[in-house]
Amino acid sequence: MNIENLPVFSNLQENLFAAFKQNGRVKEFIKGSYPLNSEDTLKYFYIILEGRLKVSQINPENAKEQTIHILSSGDMFDIIPLLDNKPHEVLTYALDNCKVFEVKIETVRNLIYSNPEFNKIFMPYIAKNLRNLENLAVELSLFDTSTRLIRLFLKNLDLRNSGKLKLIHDLPHEEIASLIGTVRHVVNRHIQQLKKDGILQVERKKLTLKNIEGLLEKLQIK
């Protein structure tokens, strides 16, 4: 995957691609690595080309982890230091072998300040991230773990492939737990119940929804 092939950038003018290419390069991260730190994201901005990159925070006192984002093809990182020029202390973890486009952060700042065409892409992406963070805060505050898990499944449902899940289909229970603010054994208990109810299939450590209507009914009952 090249940056030109990403749908989010399909309408960008050629001179913008030239600016990116002149000041950037493609990098690859190995699955299981922790590739980026706060110093990296003060200098560079990253666009995910292939693979999944997890962004999380960890409580050093109890090692509890909260996943903030799972970034995939077309996503951008890190917006916060891009906008405020301050370090953003988060952990990044490559869930897959990843390919990213690394561009000098000043290049992106200059585009934000001077190019309306770039902002037509960038501003809606910021809004989407803000909505996702708001939804995460609301779910952690207002819903129980079972409801949060159901909502996570529905949010990641691949509408083009019945029953298939995007981004989370092959994640270990511990990773799913960190997405909904709980621990592995709680997620395992909920998943086993969904399997028993004929709603979820777990095969070769991959999750598939067998009965979407049944999942929606569980959500409505709560």
Side-chain angles (χ1 to χ4, degrees):
M1 176 72 73
N2 297 316
I3 191 169
E4 297 96 328
N5 304 126
L6 293 175
V8 69
F9 294 121
S10 61
N11 294 322
L12 268 188
Q13 299 168 349
E14 290 185 9
N15 62 320
L16 292 183
F17 281 123
F20 269 90
K21 288 183 175 180
Q22 184 177 357
N23 296 283
R25 59 177 178 168
V26 174
K27 295 188 72 174
E28 296 185 7
F29 305 139
I30 298 173
K31 179 179 179 179
S33 64
Y34 294 85
L36 301 174
N37 57 44
S38 59
E39 292 183 6
D40 295 321
T41 55
L42 280 175
K43 300 174 184 176
Y44 300 102
F45 191 69
Y46 298 88
I47 300 166
I48 313 302
L49 302 177
E50 298 175 8
R52 294 169 296 175
L53 189 68
K54 180 179 73 170
V55 182
S56 65
Q57 291 270 13
I58 290 184
N59 184 332
E61 295 183 0
N62 58 20
K64 184 176 180 180
E65 182 178 21
Q66 176 62 57
T67 297
I68 303 169
H69 303 290
I70 293 182
L71 305 177
S72 61
S73 179
D75 283 320
M76 308 179 210
F77 184 75
D78 187 348
I79 291 174
I80 292 177
L82 172 69
L83 297 178
D84 67 9
N85 199 28
K86 296 178 181 178
H88 187 202
E89 299 294 345
V90 291
L91 287 177
T92 60
Y93 177 77
L95 293 168
D96 309 304
N97 291 329
C98 294
K99 184 183 291 186
V100 304
F101 191 82
E102 177 190 77
V103 61
K104 293 179 180 178
I105 202 164
E106 287 304 323
T107 298
V108 183
R109 285 200 184 109
N110 290 337
L111 288 174
I112 293 171
Y113 298 149
S114 64
N115 197 298
E117 289 301 315
F118 181 76
N119 284 329
K120 288 180 182 178
I121 293 171
F122 188 68
M123 295 305 174
Y125 184 77
I126 291 178
K128 185 182 80 169
N129 273 260
L130 290 173
R131 286 184 183 275
N132 288 340
L133 289 173
E134 180 181 5
N135 289 338
L136 177 60
V138 168
E139 291 188 359
L140 292 175
S141 301
L142 301 183
F143 299 123
D144 60 28
T145 54
S146 176
T147 302
R148 297 204 297 267
L149 182 63
I150 292 171
R151 289 169 65 91
L152 178 69
F153 287 155
L154 292 173
K155 183 172 67 174
N156 284 278
L157 186 62
D158 188 345
L159 298 178
R160 294 174 297 180
N161 297 288
S162 180
K164 301 296 182 182
L165 294 170
K166 300 178 292 184
L167 297 183
I168 65 168
H169 61 284
D170 61 347
L171 293 184
H173 292 182
E174 185 174 1
E175 293 287 359
I176 293 176
S178 72
L179 279 163
I180 63 172
T182 187
V183 292
R184 181 185 57 80
H185 74 269
V186 173
V187 166
N188 183 64
R189 184 174 71 245
H190 292 321
I191 284 178
Q192 294 303 318
Q193 185 60 53
L194 291 172
K195 284 175 59 180
K196 182 179 178 181
D197 295 339
I199 291 173
L200 188 68
Q201 176 178 307
V202 183
E203 188 174 38
R204 296 179 182 178
K205 298 183 179 180
K206 292 187 178 182
L207 304 175
T208 305
L209 290 178
K210 295 176 62 179
N211 185 351
I212 298 171
E213 292 78 11
L215 193 67
L216 288 169
E217 287 177 7
K218 279 187 172 289
L219 191 62
Q220 293 166 358
I221 290 171
K222 290 182 175 293

